[in-house]
Structures are given as structure tokens and as C-alpha cells.
Amino acid sequence: MGLIYIVGSLSIAAFLYENLKSLFSIIKSVVEPFFRPNLPKTLAEKFGNWAVVTGATDGIGKEYARELARQGLNLVLVSRKEEKLIAVTNEIGSQYNVKIKWIVADFAKGREVYAHIEKELNGIEVGILVNNVGTIHDPESLDKVSEDMLWDLLTVNVGSVTMLTRKILPQMISRRKGAIVNLGSSSELQPHPNLTAYAATKKFVTHFTKGLEYEVAEHNIHVQLVMPAFVATNMNSYSDKVRQGGLLFPNAYSYARSAVFTLGKTSETNGFWVHGLQYALMKLFPMEIRTYFVYQLFKRMRIEAMEHRLKNQKLS
């Protein structure tokens, strides 16, 4: 009985630590300034005055950039469409008195875009890098996903977070100051049948981020993994239920406000309290059960996506 008690206690303690460490870190960060008033109080003081945000013209990326601007950071917005970059620059610039620069870059083109970005960033001390850009396809079995789409998944979701971090990291190391935020996904928790390749790329982001965190800790650089669940954005346009929003599906504005609040406070977060609860509850079950549940869920979503496409075809 004694051995069972010890094993059980250790298992419970390990589970609580793994799932509640983000919450405890945030509580600590809220209380700590009262006891250590000399700590940096703003993101600019902690990391620097400029933030680079990729995929900055829609969804989480756009709202994350807006929230950083609200907190006084200058922005470099990176996306593939010039007209949308100009529109978002004007929109955020009309709200907040910050400097904003934009860079047109299509990450699906691969290696060629990074020299262009590096040139455009010349002379800018990047304090925060937000690797948000990503792509996804409607739920579908791998054999029916086009090869072009699969190459884009790998090139954008894996390539961008790796190579842009590599470009910007040396200047952060030389200043001993900075933060790297990588947008992963709760889909990394288990395989995702019908989004198999997408979920695999997000598992890469998890391992890449956690490894990098240890590599650069000695240089005083903060690395954060953000793992959202469903957010009501265009990336989930195949599901009317998700896009309608609700308690389980926050909009991009609410999600980004919550996620930015955790920056500098914890190295790993789901970004939104409901998503944190969902993630913790899913981890209670063995991977086989989680995978089966996700398979059934996305099998229904696959049908919903097909119906959505047919509806749009009839309207067009």
C-alpha cells in the first residue's frame, strides 16, 4: 500500500505541475511586482521597442499585433498581400501612436523570402518575434490533399518558425535581450486524423520551441510556446459552428489580449483559460482514446467542410 500511495502521489503531483504550471507562473508574475518593484514593468522594458509579427493581416496575428501596439511597441508586420498590410497598418496606426513598418513576404516560396526580410529589418532591433504565420487545409484524408498544399504546410508551418528565428536570434543574443513567441496548436497533443500533416507540423513547433528555450536561456532570451485550441478565425472557415464563436471558441481579439498577457510570464500557455482547461482534460485520457475522439470529431468536420464547399460553389 505504501508503494502504491507514493506512486499515486507522485503521478498526481506530476500531472498538476504539468497542467497548472502556466497558471502558477501567471499568478506569480501578478504578485511579484509588489515584492520586487524594480522589475521591468512593460514589454518594451523587458524585451525591446520593436516587435515583428508574421501572418499579421488576419486572425490571431492581426489582433496580437494590435495588442502589442496598445502596449506601446513599434511593429513590423509581415504578410503576403500588400493591400492587406497597408489596410492593417492604417487601422492600427490610427488607434495607437507607434511606428509601423510592413514587409511583403510569401513564406510558401521558401528560402528566397528570408534574405528579403533580413534586408528589410536592417537597422531594427527586434525585441519580440512572433512566429504566427501558418496554413491549414480543410479536414481531409492525406491521399486527397494536394501535393502543393502539403508542400505549403511543411514550408510555411515548419520552415518559417525555424528560419526566421535563425535570422533574428543572433541580434537578440548580442543584446542579451528579447522574446520569441511561437504559435503552435493544441492539435499537437495527439495525432489528428484528417488533419494529419497539419498536426504533425504543430508537434514540430512544440519540440522546436522547448528545445530552443533551453538553448537561449543563458542569453536572457524568453521563449514562449502558445497552443490555442479553436479560435473563431478564417483558418476555421470550414466550420460554421466555430466561426460563430462562443465560450469554447473565442474571437481573435479576446484570444490575443489573453495570450499577450502571458508573454514574459510563462514559457508555455494555451493562451486562453478555456483552452487551458480543454487541454488539461484531454491529457487525462490515454493517447489512443484522445486520437479516436479527434478522429470522430474531424470525421464530422470533414463532412461539414464538404457541405460548406458545395454551398459556396452553388452561390458562385
Side-chain angles (χ1 to χ4, degrees), residues 53-66 77 130 132 252 256:
V53 183
T54 66
T57 55
D58 283 300
I60 294 173
K62 177 182 175 180
E63 298 305 328
Y64 203 104
R66 190 195 307 276
L77 309 178
V130 183
N132 166 75

Side-chain angles (χ1 to χ4, degrees), residues 190-210:
Q190 67 281 309
H192 258 56
N194 290 313
L195 278 179
T196 296
Y198 171 79
T201 65
K202 292 305 180 179
K203 190 64 174 181
F204 171 87
V205 173
T206 294
H207 283 200
F208 174 80
T209 306
K210 302 308 291 182

Side-chain angles (χ1 to χ4, degrees), residues 70 76 90 113 154 164 182 281 310:
R70 190 183 73 85
V76 180
N90 291 337
V113 303
L154 297 173
L164 196 53
N182 293 334
L281 288 172
L310 289 172

Side-chain angles (χ1 to χ4, degrees), residues 36-49:
R36 300 176 63 189
N38 294 327
L39 286 175
K41 292 180 171 60
T42 68
L43 292 177
E45 289 173 335
K46 289 178 182 177
F47 305 123
N49 294 319

Side-chain angles (χ1 to χ4, degrees), residues 19-93:
N19 289 281
L20 299 179
K21 61 183 178 181
S22 175
L23 175 61
F24 289 144
S25 296
I26 293 172
I27 293 172
K28 172 178 173 289
S29 69
V30 171
V31 175
E32 193 172 32
F34 293 101
F35 300 95
R36 300 176 63 189
N38 294 327
L39 286 175
K41 292 180 171 60
T42 68
L43 292 177
E45 289 173 335
K46 289 178 182 177
F47 305 123
N49 294 319
W50 283 89
V52 174
V53 183
T54 66
T57 55
D58 283 300
I60 294 173
K62 177 182 175 180
E63 298 305 328
Y64 203 104
R66 190 195 307 276
E67 177 60 15
L68 291 176
R70 190 183 73 85
Q71 297 198 26
L73 277 92
N74 301 319
L75 300 174
V76 180
L77 309 178
V78 187
S79 191
R80 63 191 177 94
K81 293 186 177 181
E82 181 176 335
E83 61 272 20
K84 295 184 77 172
L85 281 165
I86 293 172
V88 173
T89 296
N90 291 337
E91 182 181 333
I92 295 177

